[in-house]
Amino acid sequence: MGAIAIYSSGMVTGIGESSAASCAAMRAGLSGFAETSFEFGGGPLLGASVAFTSELEGREKLRVMAHAAICECLAAEEIVELSTIPLLLCVAEGSRPGRCEGLEDALLSGIAQEWGEQWHADSRVYASGRVGAIQALAEARRLITAGASRCLVVGVDSYLVADTLVAFDGKHRLLTDENANGFIPGEAAGAVLLGPVKRQDEPQLMCLGIGMGTEPAPLNSGEPLRADGLVHAIKASFEDGNCREADVDFRLTDNNGEAYGFKESALAATRVFRQQREAFDLWHPADSIGEVGAAVVPILLGMMLAAVSKDYAPGPGVLCHVSGDDEQRGAVILRHRKWSND
């Protein structure tokens, strides 16, 4: 369907209240992990909370985080009127324990009220957790191809919810003193502003290809894992973007510390990539900000935007891939284009 460009990003995480602060901390290998008031596995649970939301909870916390990320993202492009920009909002999957009731409608309307405006009629909510923003990117590309001048993809999520933590602890998925194969819960919001590809002589970060897949052996299914769903998603993103293996210099993933995710990533890489490489970096922000669910893809895109802008990316091309707790898998190919005379 063609490429679209990523113009700007915004984020709030457990290590920073802006994209610049969060990405700088992640680049430095810092983490926002601290003991929480929750106790699991014989001691306080580590978590990565957003500092300025400490007195908030539920939908209000999510709304405030999303609003902050949107403000940063739009300010970078000096946009103050939102009624012409479709908002594609990504939130926790509907099946997640502890999820706020009526989250979709309440959060979208709450963000609109914060701005004192109605959102574009094409705005919608994706309640698909980590994979939701991949679906949103595909819709953003469709809208932009059809004539939209801009589109906003936002993800916001929090795992620091009592009922959520109890449920995941019951499945032995939290990292505790008694369980090394688990994740550290976090919370975050990320936003990216998308639009048409600019002139050939302008540097820009482009989304070239998008792919989806379905995994027949999701986490805790008991089925042997071959990473079929992720392999299909990655290959589909290559085909969609008319890309080759050589167009990818490193990878960005949602791996959160659980063995399943790293095994899936490794299996997919061995099945997709054939050329010999001295290095093939795998970046995963959960090392710094914990498991942030639906916010992870906009944060991954913001990380790439920062890395190419500051010239510390391993190369101009990156594969982003994510896996839901269910069967859904998604992948995106991004590439940075520098000045034409470089």
Side-chain angles (χ1 to χ4, degrees):
M1 188 179 284
I4 55 176
I6 301 171
Y7 295 164
S8 62
S9 72
M11 67 178 78
V12 293
T13 68
I15 51 172
E17 296 180 7
S18 68
S19 280
S22 296
C23 291
M26 286 187 278
R27 182 186 181 189
L30 304 179
S31 81
F33 304 146
E35 291 185 352
T36 69
S37 59
F38 302 104
E39 291 200 9
F40 294 95
L45 181 71
L46 285 179
S49 62
V50 174
F52 67 84
T53 66
S54 60
E55 302 301 319
L56 302 174
E57 59 183 22
R59 290 190 296 265
E60 182 66 6
K61 174 192 279 191
L62 298 176
R63 182 190 64 77
V64 169
M65 289 195 295
H67 179 256
I70 292 170
C71 284
E72 181 190 5
C73 187
L74 297 185
E77 290 290 305
E78 299 182 347
I79 296 174
V80 294
E81 295 184 4
L82 304 175
S83 59
T84 60
I85 302 176
L87 169 65
L88 307 180
L89 181 63
C90 307
V91 298
E93 52 272 58
S95 60
R96 187 191 301 171
R99 185 181 187 272
C100 299
E101 296 219 0
L103 180 61
E104 292 89 341
D105 293 338
L107 191 53
L108 189 63
S109 62
I111 293 172
Q113 289 172 10
E114 184 77 28
W115 288 93
E117 298 183 30
Q118 290 292 321
W119 286 104
H120 191 281
D122 288 322
S123 298
R124 58 171 295 186
V125 180
Y126 293 81
S128 301
R130 292 187 291 274
V131 181
I134 304 290
Q135 300 167 346
L137 283 173
E139 175 64 6
R141 182 174 63 176
R142 187 190 71 79
L143 292 170
I144 291 166
T145 301
S149 62
R150 299 287 190 275
C151 197
L152 194 59
V153 172
V154 180
V156 61
D157 208 342
S158 176
Y159 277 77
L160 294 171
V161 178
D163 289 346
T164 301
L165 296 175
V166 169
F168 280 98
D169 181 62
K171 298 177 181 178
H172 307 289
R173 293 191 58 190
L174 298 182
L175 181 66
T176 67
D177 291 340
E178 298 176 353
N179 180 36
N181 181 21
F183 65 80
I184 296 176
E187 58 188 11
V192 286
L193 185 67
L194 309 161
V197 172
K198 300 177 183 178
R199 299 195 316 262
Q200 290 291 325
D201 61 348
E202 292 191 55
Q204 58 196 303
L205 178 61
M206 298 174 291
C207 173
L208 301 180
I210 302 170
M212 298 293 297
T214 301
E215 175 54 54
L219 182 65
N220 293 329
S221 67
E223 298 296 323
L225 176 64
R226 298 183 64 252
D228 289 340
L230 189 54
V231 167
H232 185 276
I234 294 170
K235 289 183 175 180
S237 69
F238 273 95
E239 182 177 355
D240 182 58
N242 193 26
C243 298
R244 302 167 302 155
E245 181 177 339
D247 293 324
V248 172
D249 301 294
F250 68 113
R251 295 163 291 164
L252 286 168
T253 82
D254 61 340
N255 290 352
N256 63 8
E258 294 181 280
Y260 177 94
F262 285 102
K263 180 179 180 180
E264 184 181 31
S265 295
L267 285 171
T270 59
R271 293 180 58 189
V272 172
F273 296 98
R274 300 299 184 183
Q275 72 180 53
Q276 294 285 346
R277 300 172 182 262
E278 291 186 7
F280 196 25
D281 288 1
L282 182 69
W283 293 7
H284 30 83
D287 282 356
S288 294
I289 62 176
E291 171 62 81
V292 296
V296 71
V297 169
I299 287 174
L300 293 175
L301 302 186
M303 286 177 67
M304 180 59 175
L305 190 61
V308 295
S309 299
K310 301 292 185 180
D311 201 27
Y312 62 86
V318 66
L319 164 67
C320 299
H321 61 74
V322 296
S323 300
D325 280 348
D326 57 8
E327 298 86 359
Q328 296 185 88
R329 303 292 183 263
V332 178
I333 304 291
L334 305 176
R335 190 162 185 85
H336 182 242
R337 185 174 67 197
K338 295 186 176 182
W339 293 104
S340 59
N341 59 353
D342 282 357

